Amino acid sequence: MPVLRVAVAFVSGLLVGAAMRPLVFARSVPRGQPLRDACPACGTVLLPSATGSLQLVRGRCSTCRERIPPAPGVAELLTAVVFAGLAVSGMTGWTAAAHYWLAACGTALIMIDIAVHRLPDVLTLPASSGTLALLTGAALAGEHGSLPRALAAAAALGSVYLVMVAGGMGMGDVKLAPAIGALLGWHSWSAVILGTFAGFALAAAFSIALLATRRATRKDHVAFGPFVLGGALLVSALLSS
């Protein structure tokens, strides 16, 4: 495990997380509401100006000195840790690029989903199309994996999630499913099953913990995006190591 590679991935994650902060701030609003562009405390307009974006990175409004969500360092550290974990797996080439791309989109999606329980199209659609495009590059470069299986898994998982909409699955999860299915399908069908199961198992364990500690009731909604993304990236990285 080259330490330099992990260190570069960690620093890159910090930079990507900082770059994603304005997007997370703007999109962390309930469905149907206008995008957020001003300080919640004083109303100072922050976006789309470069100065406002810098204030978002700093996590504090320069006018009223109040904190600006998300909390300082969370987006950066989350992305950095995920990037470093992918670097530990030893992946290279287009395959690695596909994982980093989904991780970059995914960490922003996780933060938005936790905040307002939605996965916006501005991230889910690029996540899926970008992952598929990068895996196509991996196939053309002759890297180990199967593009036909990845495409089939993307369609299969998307179809399964679409059916589950009737049971409460969100359309954001459906639009993200092709990226997850493709990434896991690139390895094997077993990876698709294991990665999908991991996401549901993590979500179930978290829900049970909330119920056991009385921090939630059965009527409360738990964001599914963090778990499905986390399970997929974890399984895929382990299979690539």
Side-chain angles (χ1 to χ4, degrees):
M1 180 185 67
V3 176
L4 179 60
R5 181 175 62 205
V6 176
V8 169
F10 186 86
V11 173
S12 298
L14 291 175
L15 296 175
V16 171
M20 287 290 189
R21 180 176 285 273
L23 192 153
V24 173
F25 172 80
R27 299 282 171 172
S28 294
V29 293
R31 190 179 306 277
Q33 295 296 315
L35 299 184
R36 185 165 52 181
D37 62 358
C39 171
C42 68
T44 299
V45 176
L46 302 172
L47 298 175
S49 70
T51 302
S53 296
L54 182 59
Q55 292 179 57
L56 289 174
V57 173
R58 292 174 177 171
R60 189 180 294 276
C61 175
S62 61
T63 302
C64 66
R65 306 304 300 169
E66 290 293 325
R67 293 288 189 185
I68 305 173
V74 174
E76 294 83 353
L77 187 58
L78 175 61
T79 312
V81 169
V82 175
F83 273 33
L86 292 175
V88 169
S89 71
M91 285 183 291
T92 59
W94 291 91
T95 302
H99 284 74
Y100 285 116
W101 174 256
L102 182 57
C105 296
T107 50
L109 284 167
I110 285 172
M111 298 192 68
I112 296 172
D113 201 16
I114 290 174
V116 293
H117 291 177
R118 61 185 295 254
L119 299 172
D121 292 349
V122 72
L123 282 167
T124 55
L125 299 182
S128 291
S129 59
T131 300
L132 289 168
L134 290 168
L135 289 178
T136 300
L140 293 174
E143 296 180 16
H144 180 69
S146 171
L147 181 60
R149 185 174 57 226
L151 295 174
L157 194 60
S159 299
V160 170
Y161 277 26
L162 185 59
V163 171
M164 294 178 66
V165 168
M169 179 74 72
M171 284 303 299
D173 297 303
V174 175
K175 294 170 185 176
L176 182 61
I180 295 168
L183 201 68
L184 293 168
W186 176 255
H187 298 287
S188 65
W189 283 110
S190 297
V192 177
I193 297 171
L194 182 59
T196 303
F197 173 79
F200 281 95
L202 290 171
F206 182 74
S207 299
I208 291 171
L210 289 180
L211 291 172
T213 56
R214 297 184 178 180
R215 298 180 62 183
T217 67
R218 293 185 179 182
K219 294 182 179 180
D220 290 326
H221 178 72
V222 175
F224 186 57
F227 303 105
V228 69
L229 280 163
L233 286 171
L234 177 61
V235 169
S236 190
L238 289 174
L239 291 173
S240 300
S241 61

